Amino acid sequence: MTPFAALFAAIDATTSTTAKVEAMRAYLASAPAADAAWAIYFLTGRRLTRLLSARAIGDWVSDATGVPGWLMQECYAVVGDGAEMAALVLDQMPVAPDAPLGLAAWLETRIQPLRGQPPERQRDAVLAWLRQLPRWERFTLLKLLTGELRVGVSQTLVVRAVAARAGLPVTTIAGRLAGAWTPTAAWFDALIGAEASADDLSRPYQFALASPLEPGRDTLEALQESLGSPSEWQVEWKWDGIRAQIVRRADTVALWSRGDEVLTDRFPEIRDAARTLPPGTVLDGEILAWHDDAPLPFAALQQRIARQQQIARVAKSVPVAFVAYDLLEQEGVDLRDRPLADRRQRLESLLRDVAAHPMAPAPVPDGRLPFDPPESGPVTQVLRASAQVAAGADTWETAAAARTQARRYGVEGLMLKRLASPYVGGRRRGDWWKWKIEPFTIDAVLIYAQPGSGKRASLLTDYTFGLWDGDELVPVAKAYSGLTNDEIAEMDRWIRRHTVERFGPVRHVEPVHVMELGFEAIARSTRHRSGVAVRFPRILRLRPDKRAADADTVATLRAMIRDQRAPAG
Amino acid sequence: MLTETPIGLYCAAGDFHIDPWGAAPRALITHAHGDHARAGSQAYLCADACLPLLRQRFGADVPVQGQPYGEPLTLGGVRVSFHPAGHILGSAQIRIEGDDGVWVLSGDYKRAADPTCAPFEPVRCDTFITESTFGLPIYRWDPAADVVADIVAWWHANRAQGLASLLFCYTIGKAQRLLAELAAITDDRVLVHGMVQPMTEVYRAAGVRMLPTETLVERPRGTSMAGELVLAPPSARGTPWMRRLGALSDGLTSGLMRVRGVRRQRSYDRGFVLSDHADWPALIDTVRETGATRVLTTHGHAEPLARHLADLGLDTGVLRTAWDDERGADDRE
Ligand SMILES: [Zn+2]
Ligand SMILES: [Zn+2]
């Protein structure tokens, strides 16, 4: 219990994510496997069902310390947390240390057997334990008993710490931590074990990324000159959703975001549809909120992203589809070196086959019921091949014309992919281009925040955004509006916890959040470090699906100046 | 003996106010904190040891007179004396003896040892007016040496990471107590905000042994502050002054930091529970030691303390107006 409580205290005592990760790594390196397993259980936000109410514990503490009920209530009004208040009041009770007991033993031999015991026995046991423990351990125990233990770390940080402890890639650990598991010593050993486990089967490929087609390079002549004939290109809509891979191998299915996040259980309809794919299949595509035959705005999808509980209910109001762009693996064979034209053909025939003869869904390993089929619709509603735009045209005019319609279809623009190209992870210029509707949008990283004025003076609402210049983020724009009140409040909390440095009211935050900014015009500027000034920047939306490293560069922004007068579309 | 007036507690028999917040002809001052010693009165009387602090705060022109601890003085129909309160340098309880028996007004006080000031002396009385800033059983202080060891560990860990350690504390009393407690552990020079330095010099002149200090302004421009310990008043937080420190970790020393939610809400990296006020057990013990049968509480959690003392069989009441000021209970010194 003591090392875990010390870890909890260490995480609580810093706002630095590096320090938090290091504290977790050090704990995981020294804790026995069974304790480490339980620690991860709590660090990843899992909780015990409430064993005891804070009220009952308060009554016992009142009896044991002689602090009357009314005075306990006065204390509660100041502390605002029953477990902490009880631990503080208990401080007057001297500690009679007992032999140390590990976290797992505490949970398995003491805390959990308490469930269902008569209240007097629960009281006697809890008070006896509390007498043995110092202050912070008392607090930790009370939080465990009331099912309220919350440690201030994100899943991403836990994954980083476990990966550092295990010396394994972050994706491996993220994959192994996804889904349901029981905290046991064997589970922890498997989690950090080097041998390929069944879970590693769910690893995705590195995503291939497109480069923006800069303004000035997107006139019909320039396209013809730099890209050649459109017949050598696959032209698709650039969907505005979450880029993801479906990994279907052996009897597993996993849905991965580009941020190495496992989304499998967030989108049960995609998970279940993917089970009908033959094993050894990996699809690259986009998760979209989808109704009837059209995508819903990204904001709709955000409701699904935000929701971790009651997924089935939100899924009814916001159905989703997976629009497949590419087939990366078929029958267990890596297809990435083959030309896109070949992969595309295979993708289309695969999806046709599945629609015609869907495989029986594979058995669900953890005994969950498959997602309710009437709401999810047939497989073909959920798994789709991305539509081709202007296929077979021999001038870029058709594509350019389609692009002007992009807004109407709720898409961001066009994707141009060379039909002869292999699938190459990362951003490699030349074969994949994104041709957005609005030339003046960038994905920028939040780097500074400060309080707003007027009604919002208590919230950090004024953001400064940066773009990459080499490996440095250079400030390029300040923006105040564009987020919902809920998003602002959420960001405010996040910023306060992730401030790296403060200069007066200005907080330098960890470069984590990517937001899409839109603006009306750009000009050269000697007053700005980036050399560029943007006019009327505004936040178009959060991009939780993007990592800071995926944000745009200053060079992209500078290139936009060159042809401001080019028609936007 | 004492009555509440719009400018503070008034003793008619002696014709003086105690810690008035408005202009009074004669003001008796318990200690030099801003919520107790306010400018504007015509004449001030305080403990001898408090004299240089009041001169520093009010300037040399204001008539301030000192009185040695324990030596009575007759004012009108009452005998008045000052007794150490252990709160900060020169802090005093004020004992008033007259026709209504013996009254003692505690001012702010603590019972824990403090190398910067004389220790609290319990004074027998009939009516005791006690402060109750931390008048709840959740407030209980660890030994100062433990807290200071935590501060040093935090400072050294920050130094190892190339961070400055910015510790917020009140400029009168807390900063000097820290500098004196730290002197038992290290000889390192500590940087201070410009608002901390003048009072620190007053303490030094009074013979209090503390770590050497230097203001940020004295450091050559461009010198790195990484690894330094810097003391500053909470009001300096979020001001451009902080820019000179570069990357830092910050902390607050206050009894309020006992509550995790308060620390998190104010988003300090660290909270160090070190207070110059009495904690709950010290409040109860002190009331007992005075032998008072009537106890009035004031400051902070006055009502719960009064109710608890009433449950113990004492005649109690709450002084609502004394020392109340616009800052609210949270930020009293
Ligand atoms: Zn005070
Ligand atoms: Zn004070």
Side-chain angles (χ1 to χ4, degrees):
Chain A
M1 178 71 104
T2 303
F4 176 69
L7 170 64
F8 181 19
I11 291 172
D12 197 61
T14 180
T15 49
S16 148
T17 53
T18 322
K20 288 180 185 191
V21 170
E22 173 51 26
M24 287 188 279
R25 189 208 58 77
Y27 172 85
L28 295 174
S30 61
D35 291 359
W38 274 106
I40 292 170
Y41 183 85
F42 293 114
L43 291 168
T44 51
R46 291 166 169 82
R47 288 182 224 170
L48 299 180
T49 335
R50 191 177 79 170
L51 265 162
L52 301 169
S53 70
R55 192 193 193 94
I57 290 175
D59 290 347
W60 301 342
V61 168
S62 172
D63 289 346
T65 57
V67 174
W70 68 266
L71 194 46
M72 299 279 289
Q73 272 179 13
E74 293 277 355
C75 292
Y76 179 78
V78 170
V79 179
D81 176 308
E84 185 189 352
M85 186 270 289
L88 289 174
V89 169
L90 276 169
D91 228 7
Q92 62 185 277
M93 200 162 73
V95 181
D98 196 30
L101 192 65
L103 179 63
W106 262 99
L107 288 156
E108 290 161 16
T109 67
R110 291 188 169 177
I111 294 173
Q112 288 184 321
L114 213 56
R115 202 179 290 283
Q117 299 272 330
E120 307 76 54
R121 290 193 54 182
Q122 292 181 330
R123 181 197 60 207
D124 294 348
V126 169
L127 288 176
W129 299 338
L130 289 170
R131 282 201 177 84
Q132 300 164 8
L133 298 171
R135 184 192 308 150
W136 192 272
E137 280 85 334
R138 281 178 180 164
F139 172 54
T140 310
L141 173 63
L142 290 171
K143 284 278 176 196
L144 288 171
L145 291 170
T146 53
E148 291 170 349
L149 183 72
R150 271 186 213 97
V151 188
V153 286
S154 64
Q155 173 94 8
T156 318
L157 294 186
V158 179
V159 168
R160 261 165 62 188
V162 177
R165 159 70 182 89
L168 292 171
V170 165
T171 44
T172 304
I173 300 300
R176 291 180 185 181
L177 275 177
W181 44 266
T182 317
T184 62
W187 171 83
F188 180 74
D189 287 337
L191 174 69
I192 60 167
E195 319 85 69
S197 73
D199 289 343
D200 296 342
L201 279 175
S202 71
R203 296 273 304 278
Y205 292 106
Q206 195 192 357
F207 284 84
L209 306 174
S211 309
L213 201 58
E214 288 104 7
R217 285 204 49 193
D218 63 354
T219 60
L220 297 182
E221 304 73 44
L223 286 170
Q224 192 72 37
E225 190 173 316
S226 60
L227 306 184
S229 160
S231 60
E232 291 166 31
W233 291 82
Q234 172 172 308
V235 182
E236 291 163 297
W237 296 120
K238 183 177 181 338
W239 297 104
D240 189 14
I242 301 172
R243 182 80 181 281
Q245 279 181 36
I246 288 175
V247 181
R248 166 85 177 98
R249 296 196 187 107
D251 57 357
T252 68
V253 165
L255 185 62
W256 286 84
S257 80
R258 243 179 72 199
D260 293 332
E261 227 189 316
V262 180
L263 303 174
T264 322
D265 296 326
R266 299 274 182 95
F267 299 103
E269 61 269 64
I270 296 178
R271 177 192 69 203
D272 294 341
R275 283 189 200 288
T276 66
L277 292 166
T281 303
V282 177
L283 299 179
D284 179 12
E286 195 96 8
I287 301 170
L288 294 164
W290 197 279
H291 186 63
D292 289 337
D293 247 344
L296 298 171
F298 189 76
L301 190 57
Q302 266 172 328
Q303 296 177 37
R304 291 288 299 262
I305 304 168
R307 201 54 84 102
Q308 306 227 22
Q309 267 97 40
Q310 295 179 305
I311 287 171
R313 221 182 58 200
V314 191
K316 281 181 193 174
S317 52
V318 186
V320 295
F322 182 90
V323 174
Y325 296 134
D326 212 330
L327 177 63
L328 309 185
E329 182 178 310
Q330 190 175 29
E331 292 166 19
V333 178
D334 181 352
L335 301 181
R336 291 176 300 160
D337 283 341
R338 303 187 187 221
L340 171 63
D342 176 35
R343 299 197 307 272
R344 174 75 201 187
Q345 229 173 20
R346 288 165 181 269
L347 172 71
E348 286 174 10
S349 72
L350 171 71
L351 293 180
R352 262 197 311 273
D353 287 355
V354 170
H357 314 284
M359 306 220 342
V364 185
D366 54 13
R368 264 188 316 242
L369 285 171
F371 187 75
D372 195 9
E375 267 70 36
S376 64
V379 170
T380 45
Q381 291 291 309
V382 179
L383 290 184
R384 300 158 174 273
S386 77
Q388 301 289 301
V389 181
D394 48 0
T395 74
W396 286 102
E397 219 169 333
T398 328
R403 180 164 161 273
T404 62
Q405 303 297 307
R407 249 200 197 99
R408 190 195 294 172
Y409 296 121
V411 299
E412 285 187 296
L414 299 179
M415 287 293 297
L416 313 178
K417 297 175 186 169
R418 199 185 290 278
L419 283 165
S421 67
Y423 187 95
V424 181
R427 199 184 304 276
R428 203 186 68 160
R429 286 173 70 88
D431 291 337
W432 278 37
W433 297 100
K434 51 184 173 190
W435 191 12
K436 290 195 184 182
I437 304 172
E438 157 146 44
F440 304 127
T441 68
I442 45 169
D443 289 328
V445 184
L446 175 66
I447 50 178
Y448 302 112
Q450 66 186 91
S453 47
K455 253 197 290 186
R456 285 183 169 168
S458 64
L459 288 171
L460 299 157
T461 54
D462 293 6
Y463 305 147
T464 302
F465 293 91
L467 294 182
W468 292 106
D469 189 7
D471 51 11
E472 199 193 352
L473 280 167
V474 176
V476 293
K478 272 189 146 193
Y480 311 94
S481 60
L483 299 183
T484 66
N485 286 340
D486 284 352
E487 286 170 337
I488 287 172
E490 174 80 36
M491 284 304 300
D492 180 83
R493 277 192 295 277
W494 183 89
I495 290 163
R496 286 176 202 280
R497 275 184 279 121
H498 297 86
T499 300
V500 183
E501 230 181 302
R502 300 172 56 139
F503 315 95
V506 179
R507 288 158 178 267
H508 180 185
V509 300
E510 291 167 28
V512 171
H513 280 284
V514 178
M515 298 187 204
E516 185 176 52
L517 307 183
F519 43 90
E520 309 299 338
I522 327 173
R524 279 184 204 290
S525 163
T526 48
R527 287 180 301 114
H528 294 76
R529 242 180 89 201
S530 58
V532 180
V534 299
R535 239 162 89 82
F536 304 127
R538 62 199 182 279
I539 300 166
L540 297 180
R541 59 182 174 134
L542 298 169
R543 294 301 308 246
D545 55 319
K546 294 211 168 181
R547 288 176 303 185
D550 303 321
D552 287 311
T553 63
V554 174
T556 310
L557 190 60
R558 286 200 195 108
M560 291 177 182
I561 302 178
R562 266 181 254 137
D563 202 342
Q564 279 212 44
R565 274 160 302 170
Chain B
M1 182 93 72
L2 292 170
T3 48
E4 294 174 60
T5 75
I7 60 164
L9 279 183
Y10 177 65
C11 175
D15 189 22
F16 58 82
H17 286 80
I18 299 176
D19 290 350
W21 53 84
R26 288 203 293 181
L28 270 60
I29 299 297
T30 60
H31 67 287
H33 275 151
D35 52 336
H36 297 260
R38 308 235 180 170
S41 291
Q42 283 162 33
Y44 294 91
L45 182 66
C46 63
D48 261 348
C50 183
L51 207 58
L53 280 73
L54 285 194
R55 291 238 165 85
Q56 171 67 36
R57 285 210 43 217
F58 296 157
D61 302 339
V62 176
V64 183
Q65 188 188 320
Q67 179 74 4
Y69 281 132
E71 281 189 20
L73 183 83
T74 301
L75 290 174
V78 295
R79 272 156 66 85
V80 170
S81 51
F82 291 84
H83 302 267
H87 176 57
I88 62 168
L89 180 63
S91 66
Q93 311 171 69
I94 296 178
R95 179 184 184 276
I96 310 165
E97 186 178 348
D99 293 343
D100 293 341
V102 177
W103 286 51
V104 168
L105 186 133
S106 75
D108 292 344
Y109 68 98
K110 70 171 173 289
R111 303 300 303 268
D114 179 340
T116 68
C117 62
F120 181 95
E121 285 174 16
V123 179
R124 304 285 299 179
C125 58
D126 304 306
T127 299
F128 185 47
I129 301 178
T130 180
E131 68 131 318
S132 47
T133 307
F134 291 107
L136 284 175
I138 52 172
Y139 295 113
R140 176 177 289 261
W141 314 142
D142 290 335
D146 294 359
V147 182
V148 172
D150 281 351
I151 291 174
V152 171
W154 167 73
W155 174 15
H156 291 169
N158 289 337
R159 178 181 283 170
Q161 291 177 54
L163 301 176
S165 302
L166 176 55
L167 190 56
F168 292 106
C169 53
Y170 294 122
T171 58
I172 309 179
K174 187 70 66 64
Q176 293 76 25
R177 184 184 181 195
L178 284 167
L179 290 167
E181 294 278 4
L182 285 166
I185 302 183
T186 164
D187 298 323
D188 287 2
R189 190 257 299 110
V190 170
L191 294 177
V192 296
H193 185 277
M195 281 169 72
V196 176
Q197 188 71 341
M199 270 305 166
T200 305
E201 289 310 328
V202 173
Y203 267 66
R204 233 187 280 282
V208 177
R209 191 181 155 255
M210 293 173 293
L211 288 182
T213 52
E214 202 180 322
T215 57
L216 249 60
V217 195
E218 296 170 75
R219 308 281 302 146
R221 276 253 158 231
T223 15
S224 162
M225 305 293 172
E228 301 280 5
L229 175 65
V230 187
L231 303 187
S235 58
R237 198 171 192 220
T239 65
W241 171 83
M242 278 174 61
R243 253 175 248 175
R244 288 220 43 204
L245 297 175
L248 59 84
S249 171
D250 70 351
L252 175 69
T253 50
S254 165
L256 296 170
M257 294 293 100
R258 174 91 168 152
V259 176
R260 181 169 169 252
V262 174
R263 172 175 66 76
R264 290 162 68 88
Q265 184 195 333
R266 302 191 182 186
S267 69
Y268 289 102
D269 291 329
R270 294 294 300 270
F272 298 102
V273 186
L274 188 72
S275 178
D276 288 325
H277 292 272
D279 62 2
W280 174 262
L283 291 170
I284 310 290
D285 290 350
T286 303
V287 165
R288 285 215 179 95
E289 285 172 54
T290 63
T293 51
R294 182 154 171 261
V295 180
L296 304 176
T297 58
T298 186
H299 254 72
H301 300 287
E303 277 162 40
L305 179 62
R307 181 167 168 191
H308 181 71
L309 293 171
D311 287 350
L312 297 179
L314 296 170
D315 181 10
T316 64
V318 170
L319 274 190
R320 288 178 188 285
T321 52
W323 303 311
D324 268 350
D325 70 330
E326 62 286 351
R327 282 179 304 165
D330 273 4
D331 288 306
R332 280 171 214 281
E333 294 172 46

